[in-house]
Amino acid sequence: MASADLGSPDPGSPPAAALPAVTRLTVTDFRCYRRLRLHIEPAPVVLTGPNGAGKTNVLEALSLLVPGRGLRAARLGEITRHTAESGAWAVAATVQTSAGPVSLGTGLEAGGGADRRVVRVDGETMRGQTALGRHLAALWLTPAMDGLFRDGAGERRRFLDRLVQTLDPDHAGRCAAHAHALRERGRLLREGRGDPGWLSALEDTLARHGVAIAAARRDLVARLSAALAEAEGPFPRAILALEGVAERALDDRPALAVEDSLREAMAASRAADAEAGGTALGPHRSDLLVRHASRDLPAAQCSTGEQKAVLIALVLAQARVVAAARDGPPLLLLDEVVAHLDAERRAALADALTRLGAQAWLTGTDAALFGDFADQAQFVGLRDGNLVN
């Protein structure tokens, strides 16, 4: 078992982060870890070590303490340590909140047929993951997201929905219900078993959840745009826009009217959708458009470094939005971020995290790149899935 206690403050301890913050983390049979236990202060944490040390695995464990599939979007069975006898994994944490400590836990319950993810809050089993989001929000950046602006619209929708979820934990449930109804409608149309009553019920679900999803995205983009406009420093300002039928319709029509029109349009397009193999209308076709403000270019046309800087600016702005809307800022999980920044932007990131007060978890192979964080962060060394001094 790897264990470290970083929770004994001394005169030189890093300043505490704003709440909520993780003060204890335990992972069991998770990726490369048989068991890892960390006791930490509510302040930023820097995880250092060579590639393959298990740094990103710690961030993934933390990302599963909020609703969703985590920063790797992995299947439940993929997460279990390959030599684990039980086939299950678990993540547990104590989170300090403004209302006091909360115990959050999640894991794979193996056996008995299909794998099932279990969620517990203060020892009580919850019916779904939404309960996690009521106590903790998290945002993350990983190297896999570097192509976000060049990738297809689906990746940007998922990114946008994760941002919405940090403000509204119920958003994940609406997205899941919408996705399920989409699959069911598509299956019925493909199989030619489109009972009108059944299809109408599915289209009603799609319209109701679809308009709610679109409205939540519009609200988020408005808040995020305002936060970006106020930002200063070396990270570029971004201009955001939503492209989508439902989102545009909400500009000048009430939600119920948009629901009705979306429901009617889906009913009229059943034959075309059956031939095309998918539902043509709805928020699952929307896109988040991002422009580099000072260069007046789509982010996708900017250099790799500029795209990374825009992405960091988006996440920092969203963290400020969350801090203003909830009891405190979200957990920030920043995987290999500083390695791609010049000295000015590394210093600016450290300053932004200090002013935000969020508990940020940062990873990197070169501890020297975290010099700007030395006075505010706790440093944890990892190697081969074990803690090192």
Side-chain angles (χ1 to χ4, degrees):
M1 178 181 71
S3 179
D5 188 345
L6 305 178
S8 299
D10 57 51
S13 293
L19 302 179
V22 174
T23 57
R24 178 187 61 83
L25 175 68
T26 303
V27 298
T28 305
D29 285 331
F30 187 98
R31 299 289 187 184
C32 64
Y33 295 105
R34 182 178 69 83
R35 188 171 177 84
L36 174 73
R37 180 177 293 157
L38 293 174
H39 295 269
I40 54 180
E41 290 294 308
V45 180
V46 175
L47 305 173
T48 62
N51 291 328
K55 305 183 299 295
T56 305
N57 294 342
V58 174
L59 300 193
E60 183 181 21
L62 291 162
S63 74
L64 288 164
L65 293 171
V66 298
R69 294 173 60 186
L71 59 81
R72 284 191 174 109
R75 293 187 177 92
L76 295 176
E78 296 173 353
I79 298 172
T80 308
R81 188 173 61 95
H82 70 280
T83 57
E85 295 180 0
S86 67
W89 55 267
V91 177
T94 298
V95 178
Q96 294 293 338
T97 74
S98 59
V102 177
S103 295
L104 302 180
T106 188
L108 169 62
E109 186 177 83
D115 292 339
R116 187 170 72 93
R117 182 173 169 187
V118 177
V119 170
R120 293 190 177 92
V121 176
D122 285 336
E124 182 180 353
T125 301
M126 302 286 107
R127 293 187 61 182
Q129 301 173 29
T130 301
L132 295 172
R134 304 201 188 288
H135 299 282
L136 186 65
L139 295 169
W140 53 80
L141 282 176
T142 71
M145 297 168 61
D146 287 352
L148 180 70
F149 304 124
R150 300 187 304 271
D151 291 340
E155 289 300 318
R156 288 185 291 278
R157 283 194 299 272
R158 283 185 281 275
F159 172 73
L160 178 59
D161 286 332
R162 287 198 300 271
L163 300 188
V164 174
Q165 188 178 296
T166 61
L167 294 176
D168 179 6
D170 292 323
H171 186 72
R174 289 191 290 268
C175 289
H178 186 271
H180 176 74
L182 269 181
R183 290 192 297 270
E184 286 298 298
R185 181 177 185 269
R187 181 180 62 81
L188 291 176
L189 292 176
R190 284 193 307 273
E191 295 174 355
R193 298 192 296 111
D195 173 79
W198 198 349
L199 284 171
S200 293
L202 289 170
E203 288 159 0
D204 179 69
T205 297
L206 288 170
R208 287 186 293 103
H209 287 303
V211 171
I213 290 167
R217 289 173 178 171
R218 290 175 78 255
D219 177 70
L220 182 281
V221 167
R223 296 195 202 193
L224 187 52
S225 294
L228 286 164
E230 297 171 354
E232 298 179 353
F235 292 107
R237 187 167 64 87
I239 298 173
L240 309 180
L242 269 175
E243 183 179 80
V245 172
E247 288 83 357
R248 286 196 300 271
L250 286 168
D251 287 342
D252 51 23
R253 299 169 63 190
L256 288 177
V258 178
E259 282 184 27
D260 289 341
S261 64
L262 188 56
R263 194 180 294 111
E264 293 167 3
M266 282 188 287
S269 66
R270 289 172 186 172
D273 287 347
E275 184 175 349
T279 301
L281 297 174
H284 59 290
R285 301 290 188 182
S286 302
D287 197 1
L288 174 66
L289 307 181
V290 182
R291 294 184 70 84
H292 189 298
S294 62
R295 298 201 59 196
D296 193 26
L297 279 176
Q301 296 180 19
C302 295
S303 71
T304 301
E306 287 172 329
Q307 290 183 45
K308 186 78 171 185
V310 169
L311 193 52
I312 292 173
L314 285 175
V315 169
L316 291 176
Q318 177 63 8
R320 295 193 296 273
V321 170
V322 174
R326 297 183 56 149
D327 287 339
L331 215 61
L332 291 176
L333 311 176
L334 308 178
D335 193 19
E336 297 287 352
V337 168
V338 300
H340 303 282
L341 302 179
D342 57 26
E344 180 186 12
R345 282 178 172 162
R346 287 198 299 270
L349 178 61
D351 179 64
L353 295 178
T354 298
R355 286 186 282 109
L356 182 64
Q359 188 185 49
W361 293 66
L362 304 101
T363 71
T365 57
D366 186 357
L369 293 177
F370 294 93
D372 294 302
F373 297 86
D375 294 334
Q376 60 172 295
Q378 306 159 92
F379 283 71
V380 178
L382 294 168
R383 183 181 294 273
D384 298 325
N386 291 293
L387 293 163
V388 296
N389 292 329

